[in-house]
Amino acid sequence: MEAVRGWSVRSRFTLFSAVVAALLCTLCATVLMVTIHRLVTGYLTDEVASAGGRVASELEVQGRLPDLLAHGQIRHIQMVGPQGAVVAATDTMRGKPPMAAFTPEGGRRTAHSVVCGGAFPGRECHIVVAHRVYVNGGKWTIYSAAPVIPALVDGRLTALVLGVGVLLTIAISYLGNRIVACTLQPVEAIRSELDEINATCPGRRVPVPESHDEIFQLAESVNHTLGRLQAAMEQQRRLTSDASHDLRSPITAMRAEVEDALMAPEQADVNVLGVAVLSGLDRLQAIVRDLLTIARLEAGMPCARDQVDLSELVTSEMDARHPAKRIDRDLEEAVLVLADRLRLARLITNLVDNAERHADTAITVRVYRARGGGDRRFATGAAVLEVLDDGAGIDPDKRELVFQRFARLDAARSRDSGGTGLGLPIARQIAETTGGTLTIGDSPRGARFVLRLPLAPIALGGPPAPRGDAYG
């Protein structure tokens, strides 16, 4: 068994089909030979009975002893008189005792049995049929016999059946081998292609067979997995490239400040140098913190699912801030969601930080309930958070670009404005892991970020308020 386990699937299936075919052919051959043997034995018994019946009929009709002649395979016939002695017999049975001792019983005229030895030479077995005849008040018995049919009936028939069985076994094994070979051919192509795919050619895909079977589904799943791996690799490369560039800028700035101070120590101001270095360190710390946050989100680390009052959370976060620009609030009470409170607070902070960097004078924060709009994610209704600023705004064709890591649109949204380029991507990831969405909507002026989260079931005292987005 251990040796078989080391075989290929093709070899194992071929062996299995050969063994099963051999067993089935053996069973069929056995059943066929037994059936033929029984049919031939029944036919021979009828022939023996017919030969004895003809003699019995002549004896009853003529009332005298008929001539006993061998007929076909029926060469053994005896007539036994009322006293139990053999009165007449064929040439093969002359001078021999009765070939059988049984007689028909219970009013029957015939009986048959297999008799071995006795009047027959050696230990040969014969089918013997006994006929009871009544003549002149006496009971006569006519015995007729023929050799029993061999178990294999005929050597030629046995050879034919065995030959057909062997040929069927070989044919079934060959067909099984070919079927498995054709079936596994797409698998071999998939395996070969996977061996060729590596980090230098992530865009390659395995061949998909035309048949819509399990192997087709396997190829589709493999290609889907390769697509996700390619996207992850590209995202990792892009993140590494962007992160290295963003990390290099503050490091280069700090190095330049330190080198200038070392080249002219008498002119260096320690306080100015410390402020410049600390500013760079703050930026490095912010980038590293955001990268760690993204890593945790992408790793799918478990988070709490507590009932959070979105309006109360916005209020507490805004009260803790010292904004440089005016923040207007429009908060509906008791807008409850199921979310991780710390992550949701980070999302709100990132949105407000982004709005504060790009607003001219004021920021508006709104919280309200809304209908789901046919989206299954919001079957219970939607909790909506809007953060608006009165800045330059974002062009519609660039609204998705701002959610890419380290993305910058123009000088007004440059690195000098204080952002790391990761706040909005982190906010969207938090929204999606919470089961919601974060998009940019239309507004008369500035940018309008719209967060939608499923309402907590407990918040459904009735249908959601018929309030939609302020600007569609």
Side-chain angles (χ1 to χ4, degrees), residues 116-136:
C116 298
F120 303 107
R123 295 295 299 173
E124 291 183 3
C125 295
H126 286 64
I127 299 173
V128 179
V129 179
H131 287 267
R132 176 63 54 83
V133 180
Y134 296 92
V135 179
N136 298 327

Side-chain angles (χ1 to χ4, degrees), residues 47-362:
E47 287 291 316
V48 173
S50 297
R54 284 193 297 270
V55 174
S57 297
E58 292 180 7
L59 179 61
E60 285 183 326
V61 172
Q62 297 177 5
R64 63 181 177 82
L65 298 179
D67 294 331
L68 299 182
L69 299 175
H71 179 74
Q73 293 186 3
I74 316 306
R75 300 181 179 276
H76 308 311
I77 301 176
Q78 289 179 333
M79 296 180 62
V80 180
Q83 291 76 27
V86 177
V87 177
T90 56
D91 294 339
T92 57
M93 288 287 105
R94 284 175 184 168
K96 294 184 178 181
M99 64 178 72
F102 68 89
T103 58
E105 301 291 342
R108 295 185 299 169
R109 299 294 298 272
T110 62
H112 65 86
S113 180
V114 175
V115 178
C116 298
F120 303 107
R123 295 295 299 173
E124 291 183 3
C125 295
H126 286 64
I127 299 173
V128 179
V129 179
H131 287 267
R132 176 63 54 83
V133 180
Y134 296 92
V135 179
N136 298 327
K139 295 180 179 179
W140 292 70
T141 305
I142 310 300
Y143 290 109
S144 55
V148 297
I149 303 298
L152 299 179
V153 183
D154 184 85
R156 292 171 296 178
L157 177 62
T158 303
L160 177 62
V161 172
L162 290 178
V164 171
V166 171
L167 290 177
L168 282 176
T169 301
I170 295 174
I172 292 173
S173 302
Y174 175 77
L175 289 176
N177 182 278
R178 296 306 304 164
I179 290 173
V180 174
C182 294
T183 303
L184 294 181
Q185 187 174 2
V187 177
E188 179 63 22
I190 292 173
R191 184 198 63 78
S192 300
E193 188 66 23
L194 283 175
D195 289 341
E196 296 294 330
I197 296 175
N198 52 46
T200 61
C201 52
R204 294 175 61 174
R205 296 294 181 267
V206 300
V208 179
E210 295 181 359
S211 58
H212 292 268
D213 54 8
E214 289 81 359
I215 298 179
F216 172 86
Q217 297 174 358
L218 172 63
E220 289 287 331
S221 298
V222 170
N223 285 336
H224 181 64
T225 301
L226 290 175
R228 289 187 297 175
L229 289 175
Q230 181 185 6
M233 292 172 60
E234 292 176 351
Q235 187 178 35
Q236 183 182 21
R237 289 172 180 172
R238 186 170 59 252
L239 175 63
T240 302
S241 176
D242 293 340
S244 61
H245 186 275
D246 271 52
L247 291 173
R248 185 168 59 247
S249 297
I251 292 175
T252 301
M254 289 188 295
R255 183 181 182 87
E257 293 287 344
V258 173
E259 288 177 349
D260 289 343
L262 291 176
M263 292 177 63
E266 67 282 354
Q267 299 178 3
D269 188 333
V270 176
N271 292 330
V272 174
L273 177 62
V275 170
V277 171
L278 283 178
S279 177
L281 290 175
D282 288 340
R283 178 165 179 77
L284 287 176
Q285 185 177 14
I287 293 175
V288 171
R289 183 191 66 224
D290 287 345
L291 288 175
L292 290 175
T293 300
I294 290 177
R296 293 191 186 98
L297 291 172
E298 291 185 343
M301 296 182 63
C303 60
R305 300 289 289 179
D306 301 323
Q307 183 172 279
V308 179
D309 187 333
L310 189 57
S311 298
E312 183 272 330
L313 180 61
V314 169
T315 300
S316 62
E317 291 298 318
M318 296 303 101
D319 290 344
R321 297 178 67 89
H322 300 286
K325 303 187 181 161
R326 189 180 79 252
I327 299 179
D328 299 326
R329 309 177 194 178
D330 181 9
L331 310 178
E332 187 174 328
E333 296 182 356
V335 179
L336 304 179
V337 296
L338 293 177
D340 186 314
R341 186 179 181 90
L342 294 179
R343 289 188 178 182
L344 194 54
R346 177 68 183 276
L347 186 157
I348 296 170
T349 300
N350 287 359
L351 292 181
V352 176
D353 286 345
N354 178 77
E356 190 171 358
R357 282 195 298 271
H358 306 297
D360 290 337
T361 58

